[in-house]
Amino acid sequence: MTKQTPFPRIAFIGTGAQGASVAADFALAGLDVTFIDQWPAHVEAMREKGLTVNLPTRQLHTPVKALHLCEIAEIKEPFDLVFMVVKAYDTRWAAEMIKPVLAEHGFVVGLQNGMTHEAIADIVGAHRTIGAVIQIASNMWEPGITTRQNDTDESWFALGALDPEQQPRVHDVADILRHSGTVQVVDDIRSAKWMKLVVNAAELIPTAIIDTAMRDSVRDPEFLEVMRRAGYEAMEAALADGATIMPIIGMPPVMSNHPERYVDEIFDEVVRTFSRDDTLTTSLQDWRKGRRAEVDEVNGLVVDFLEARGKAAPMNRKVVEMAKEIEAGRRRHHPDNARELVAHYRGLAQA
């Protein structure tokens, strides 16, 4: 992005529920934005009818420029800014595909779960990578239609450069992203990413295993303890990696610095502000669509990180084991699974 391109060429690679809703805000703001997706029916629907975004109190509709993945090779003019909103496990191939059409001065912004900024930087270079945290609840079940459960006044993002020399330029990217919500520029994006992973470890796969909406899952006090324990272990991994406890998702700077109290506070905020009664985690949506979830990239990362340092993450390990059984077809995601997770938690609490 340069002074000569105040409205740069922007692409979203991954325009499912999250990516499409954010990119739609850009298109409606008159920005030059291209939608790139791997779901053929979705691309064709957007080309034919445009994109519809259902919000809590309004509906948006906009024509969009949409490309299939195979059409990336036909792009002649590079993009100044690429927002990557694919699954964490798809990061490396997506970064390789977009790298040839990323401008030398451009950035890839990873609006994803997990520590994907590191994988992006490995491929396009740290000087062209911006780490990001995204907090929006959304879903997509039909091509060309996305439901976003948080309007722009509730949507929250954090951005930070991996290369400190590029940090001043992040503010220009933040100004663009503010078309879709509140954006905070942070100097320590790694810690911010870890704080979000702490929340994700507690909520994404555990609630998917029991096939239950977020708010319903926390109404069971014993299952809530299962989720909190997974978050506590994730926080232990974050601190072992040198992360700093810091407020995200709009939480006040006076929130607790005690690791477990922090997990409780931020988890409660996600449920209270960013969830609706029917909100399903992205992991449960994946399983209901027959896709695999980000098991290795969230709970699995916690297990691997702590075990590599001679420590254990028994709650996250149990979550990973059950999730892998579900993805292998040896177990169903079902409310009955709560009993097994609660029993495991009780055993840990008594040890």
Side-chain angles (χ1 to χ4, degrees):
M1 202 160 41
T2 68
K3 291 181 179 179
Q4 286 72 42
T5 56
F7 299 101
R9 278 175 49 81
I10 302 169
F12 276 71
I13 182 164
T15 55
Q18 303 278 55
S21 70
V22 177
D25 290 330
F26 287 21
L28 289 165
L31 301 179
D32 182 355
V33 57
T34 299
F35 292 54
I36 304 171
D37 201 74
Q38 58 184 311
W39 184 12
H42 182 41
V43 173
E44 292 304 319
M46 289 191 291
R47 285 176 167 176
E48 181 181 351
K49 301 178 182 178
L51 176 71
T52 297
V53 182
N54 293 315
L55 292 153
T57 61
R58 60 189 179 122
Q59 184 183 79
L60 305 177
H61 185 81
T62 181
V64 301
K65 294 187 295 184
L67 299 179
H68 295 283
L69 284 179
C70 60
E71 294 174 307
I72 292 176
E74 301 172 18
I75 295 169
K76 301 295 189 293
E77 186 178 353
F79 295 109
D80 302 285
L81 195 55
V82 176
F83 289 88
M84 185 176 293
V85 207
V86 298
K87 294 296 178 184
Y89 51 69
D90 287 331
T91 299
R92 287 190 174 274
W93 68 254
E96 291 285 8
M97 286 196 75
I98 210 66
K99 181 180 178 180
V101 294
L102 176 66
E104 282 300 316
H105 62 272
F107 286 121
V108 175
V109 183
L111 291 177
Q112 303 164 281
N113 294 322
M115 307 301 279
T116 57
H117 56 292
E118 297 169 343
I120 296 169
D122 284 346
I123 294 164
V124 305
H127 65 293
R128 295 200 291 176
T129 302
I130 293 177
V133 177
I134 177 173
Q135 186 62 53
I136 302 173
S138 61
N139 60 73
M140 176 181 284
W141 305 101
E142 299 178 46
I145 302 171
T146 183
T147 297
R148 177 169 167 177
Q149 295 184 308
N150 304 107
D151 210 327
T152 54
D153 62 331
E154 287 186 338
S155 302
W156 188 93
F157 307 88
L159 298 177
L162 272 64
D163 179 352
E165 292 187 3
Q166 301 300 324
Q167 185 70 359
R169 297 178 60 210
V170 176
H171 292 276
D172 292 332
V173 180
D175 286 341
I176 293 172
L177 188 54
R178 287 189 178 105
H179 288 293
S180 201
T182 299
V183 183
Q184 181 180 351
V185 176
V186 299
D187 292 328
D188 186 2
I189 190 62
R190 183 176 181 80
S191 290
K193 292 283 285 180
W194 263 118
M195 296 303 102
K196 179 62 188 304
L197 191 142
V198 165
V199 180
N200 286 346
E203 64 170 349
L204 296 186
I205 304 298
T207 60
I209 288 173
I210 65 170
D211 196 37
T212 301
M214 269 283 292
R215 286 188 173 175
D216 287 339
S217 67
V218 302
R219 291 189 178 108
D220 180 341
E222 287 192 302
F223 194 77
L224 178 59
E225 291 306 312
V226 169
M227 300 170 77
R228 292 193 192 283
R229 176 63 183 258
Y232 298 160
E233 292 175 0
M235 177 59 82
E236 184 180 0
L239 296 177
D241 195 36
T244 299
I245 295 176
M246 61 186 294
I248 60 170
I249 64 172
M251 295 287 283
V254 295
M255 65 187 302
S256 177
N257 283 327
H258 183 280
E260 292 188 0
R261 283 199 292 271
Y262 173 95
V263 174
D264 294 345
E265 288 182 29
I266 198 163
F267 182 68
D268 290 346
E269 179 67 12
V270 168
V271 174
R272 179 171 54 250
T273 301
F274 296 98
S275 300
R276 302 290 183 264
D277 286 341
D278 62 345
T279 295
L280 306 180
T281 66
T282 180
S283 302
L284 182 51
Q285 292 180 49
D286 287 336
W287 283 350
R288 289 188 177 182
K289 293 174 182 177
R291 303 180 60 188
R292 62 189 174 100
E294 295 164 318
V295 179
D296 292 329
E297 293 75 18
V298 180
N299 301 85
L301 185 147
V302 173
V303 173
D304 293 345
F305 192 91
L306 286 178
E307 290 186 352
R309 287 154 180 78
K311 301 181 179 181
M315 195 72 249
N316 281 275
R317 173 162 287 285
K318 182 64 174 178
V319 166
V320 170
E321 289 172 355
M322 293 179 71
K324 294 288 188 178
E325 290 175 358
I326 289 168
E327 294 191 340
R330 298 191 299 271
R331 178 193 292 267
R332 289 188 304 152
H333 47 96
H334 190 275
D336 289 348
N337 290 325
R339 290 195 296 269
E340 187 171 338
L341 284 168
V342 168
H344 186 72
Y345 168 76
R346 287 174 179 165
L348 296 176
Q350 293 170 1

